[in-house]
Amino acid sequence: MSLDINAACGALQRLQEELDSPPGTEPLKTAALALHFIWGSGHLYNFEDYLACFNQVDAPPSSSSFDTRVQAEASLQQPRDPRVAHSVTIAGTRYSVGYSLERGTRFLVRVPDSAELGTTLQTTTPLMSEALAALRKARAHVHAPEDKEAVDTALLALQFLLESGQSPIFKNFLGSLDSRALPLPLCSFGTRQEADLWLSSHPRPPHGARVEIAGQRYSVGYSRDSGLRVLVRLPSLEEMDFTESSEEHDE
């Protein structure tokens, strides 16, 4: 299952306009930013596997069953084809198997069932809590299949960040956007050719590192098909429609 970020974010933006939220808040945009954060941080394939695991009614052929988490984590040391989605079941609960290029290790991410998406998740990040509440509210009222898919994808994105331990990093990401002080890129280039040459010659470019090409932001990602790192363009704040004038909030 592939993630169509543009379709999901477009639906969330439209639902945000229909949502009766307190003045000055845009909780569904936080959910949209979570999708872009996952994409830009190099965890796109891990999240797509997570989505596939959620949508799999029966355990896939690559799934193994264990009684304890210790047993499941020990199994992660066995060779696996990184191009194939893998999952395990621990005491009846499904987990997706992710892979961290930065650490060179596999990790487990618990996958909720469909009923759990409508329940309250615990988070210490106010913006994430607001987004989760707004998504649960939207999920109870949407009827169009594409809208429901967008809401469920956003809920799963936030759940993925919480279960994989990335919520503190996402919190910092949101803070940098809110302060308009974006982190400085690791490297800056005038052309894409220069950036690609740097990427191919670098012995181990940091996973998820930011680079700038002719004023546009990119992230070091990963191509599952080729097994190579790639540069993924990140949207600007204007493209995300994240910046709005104070006059608009005061109206």
Side-chain angles (χ1 to χ4, degrees):
M1 177 181 180
S2 297
L3 171 63
D4 190 335
I5 290 182
N6 291 332
C9 290
L12 291 174
Q13 183 174 358
R14 178 167 45 77
L15 289 171
Q16 178 63 69
E17 295 170 355
E18 300 171 1
L19 192 66
D20 184 19
S21 300
T25 64
E26 296 177 306
L28 294 190
K29 284 190 177 178
T30 299
L33 285 167
L35 293 172
H36 280 281
F37 172 79
I38 290 171
W39 181 32
S41 64
H43 283 285
L44 175 60
Y45 291 121
N46 288 331
F47 182 57
E48 287 185 338
D49 290 348
Y50 185 77
L51 290 177
C53 189
F54 173 80
N55 286 285
Q56 186 82 40
V57 177
D58 299 317
S62 57
S63 178
S64 302
S65 181
F66 302 93
D67 294 326
T68 68
R69 180 154 186 149
V70 172
Q71 294 172 337
E73 290 179 339
S75 75
L76 300 184
Q77 307 305 316
Q78 301 300 319
R80 295 173 183 262
D81 187 343
R83 296 169 297 179
V84 178
H86 292 274
S87 65
V88 301
T89 301
I90 305 175
T93 299
R94 186 83 59 83
Y95 289 76
S96 178
V97 178
Y99 180 72
S100 170
L101 276 176
E102 186 176 20
R103 299 190 302 271
T105 58
R106 294 180 176 86
F107 59 92
L108 299 174
V109 189
R110 188 180 68 86
V111 179
D113 56 36
S114 57
E116 190 178 344
L117 285 189
T119 61
T120 301
L121 295 175
Q122 299 298 321
T123 171
T124 58
T125 304
L127 286 176
M128 288 185 71
S129 297
E130 292 172 3
L132 287 166
L135 287 167
R136 288 194 298 271
K137 180 179 178 180
R139 193 171 191 261
H141 291 88
V142 296
H143 299 289
E146 59 272 18
D147 289 344
K148 184 179 185 301
E149 181 178 357
V151 170
D152 283 356
T153 298
L155 278 168
L156 286 164
L158 294 174
Q159 177 102 22
F160 176 82
L161 293 176
L162 290 168
E163 293 287 349
S164 62
Q166 296 183 75
S167 55
I169 306 173
F170 179 56
K171 179 180 178 180
N172 292 337
F173 172 77
L174 291 176
S176 69
L177 291 176
D178 186 57
S179 67
R180 305 298 184 260
L182 294 176
L184 293 175
L186 177 65
C187 298
S188 296
F189 305 95
T191 67
R192 177 65 185 252
Q193 289 77 8
E194 293 173 349
D196 287 337
L197 179 61
W198 168 82
L199 189 67
S200 62
S201 61
H202 199 295
R204 189 175 177 82
H207 190 52
R210 302 300 198 263
V211 301
E212 186 176 279
I213 305 174
Q216 292 190 328
R217 297 182 303 142
Y218 287 75
S219 173
V220 176
Y222 166 73
S223 171
R224 171 174 286 173
D225 294 334
S226 66
L228 301 175
R229 288 175 172 81
V230 294
L231 293 173
V232 179
R233 192 181 74 84
L234 300 175
S236 66
L237 296 181
E238 290 74 16
E239 287 177 278
M240 284 295 300
D241 194 26
F242 194 79
T243 56
E244 295 187 4
S245 67
S246 58
E247 289 80 10
E248 287 177 319
H249 288 310
D250 293 338
E251 289 179 355

